[in-house]
Amino acid sequence: MPRTMRTLALLTLPLLAAPALAASQPAPRPVPAPHFDVAQLWVPPPLPAPPPDTDTYAPQPEEAEEAPPTRSAREQVAEAGEAFVFALAAEVFLPPDSEVVPAAGAGAVQARPATFSGRPGPVIARRAVKLVGVRNLRRVVRHVPDDCSGLVRASYESAGIDLVGGGFRPGENAVTAIWRLARRQGALHRHTPHPGDLVFFRETYDRNRDGRRNDGLTHIGVVESVDPDGTVTFIHRASKGVTRSKLNPRQPRTFRTPRGETLNDYLRPASKRLRAYLTGELFVGYAAADRLR
């Protein structure tokens, strides 16, 4: 064979053998694509801000054209008694007093008198009356919150009484802390109140946001006066500021009399699930100012 032909055969031999060698080699494994877990990439939205500790709803007489149905005297007394027992029983589920923490702003009072002689009720009531019309309590008394508890604290400090000096239990609002103080000092009652007495209400707003009436004590005010028919005028911090409202525990489901006299103002406005509620329906009890010294 000529030398040139022999060289050409040597060069083409590997090219002819390449397909056979490639067929005998195992197929390469596919490289898996990167895996992303969508659940790991999703960040949940922040939780909504917790509801305020106290109620900020004002009476809404415009909702009162449709009066609630009348009930017998026995039913009214039973409902009032149930409300009072409810508030007392609620304390069973609260943490012990050993877990009480100091209240914010407690002990920071500088303008109140160190001692006070005489009945504190009239002094407290006059202080509350002077605050009627104030839209922001912080502009008048800076160390108290701008809510219903701040109004009663500012009023009682005029008589040298610190309503939250005993501190708070974990998760407890100011209204419940004041209720515990009143109960410990034997001040709670359901008789005819006197000017300066505290008045407590329950479930005036959906504090835990579950759409039910299971929120416990949520609102508080100061008694200003009592009419001969038992209608109580009290002062409290509502949505538009410090204002007056009416309460008549003897007729808790009556908004107005046939003569147009208001017996109970609306305290909890209507929602998608619940109707509006009157002060008499949400009333729990009083605390005597004379015993809170």
Side-chain angles (χ1 to χ4, degrees), residues 107-131:
V109 183
Q110 302 295 335
R112 71 183 185 188
T115 59
F116 180 83
S117 60
R119 296 189 59 187
V123 176
I124 296 168
R126 285 195 295 269
R127 173 59 170 164
V129 169
K130 292 180 180 180
L131 293 173

Side-chain angles (χ1 to χ4, degrees), residues 252-270:
R253 296 175 63 87
T254 302
F255 171 60
R256 284 177 180 163
T257 66
R259 294 178 295 180
E261 299 174 347
T262 300
L263 298 184
N264 294 279
D265 282 304
Y266 279 91
L267 192 57
R268 177 169 182 163

Side-chain angles (χ1 to χ4, degrees), residues 178-194:
I178 297 172
W179 171 274
R180 284 194 302 103
L181 172 69
R183 185 170 185 240
R184 186 168 61 249
Q185 297 186 2
L188 297 178
H189 70 91
R190 287 181 64 87
H191 309 297
T192 301
H194 297 283

Side-chain angles (χ1 to χ4, degrees), residues 9-73:
L10 293 175
L11 293 175
T12 56
L13 183 60
L15 298 177
L16 297 175
L21 293 175
S24 64
Q25 296 293 330
R29 296 181 180 180
V31 179
H35 175 68
F36 295 97
D37 190 352
V38 178
Q40 295 178 356
L41 299 178
W42 180 77
V43 179
L47 295 176
D53 284 341
T54 50
D55 173 53
T56 57
Y57 291 125
Q60 299 189 6
E62 63 272 9
E63 299 181 10
E65 297 303 328
E66 183 178 352
T70 58
R71 305 182 69 182
S72 64

Side-chain angles (χ1 to χ4, degrees), residues 160-244:
I161 302 173
D162 186 358
L163 293 176
V164 295
F168 292 85
R169 292 174 176 176
E172 182 180 62
N173 63 8
V175 179
T176 306
I178 297 172
W179 171 274
R180 284 194 302 103
L181 172 69
R183 185 170 185 240
R184 186 168 61 249
Q185 297 186 2
L188 297 178
H189 70 91
R190 287 181 64 87
H191 309 297
T192 301
H194 297 283
D197 284 4
L198 295 173
V199 54
F200 295 89
F201 300 92
R202 61 169 180 161
E203 299 156 357
T204 53
Y205 72 100
D206 190 8
R207 184 169 185 257
N208 58 14
R209 298 184 178 182
D210 65 351
R212 299 181 179 182
R213 290 185 57 197
N214 58 359
D215 302 282
L217 299 168
T218 54
H219 196 57
I220 193 171
V222 176
V223 174
E224 179 184 7
S225 61
V226 183
D227 295 338
D229 66 348
T231 301
V232 176
T233 300
F234 67 95
I235 299 171
H236 62 131
R237 171 64 168 89
S239 61
K240 297 181 180 180
V242 181
T243 186
R244 290 182 172 92

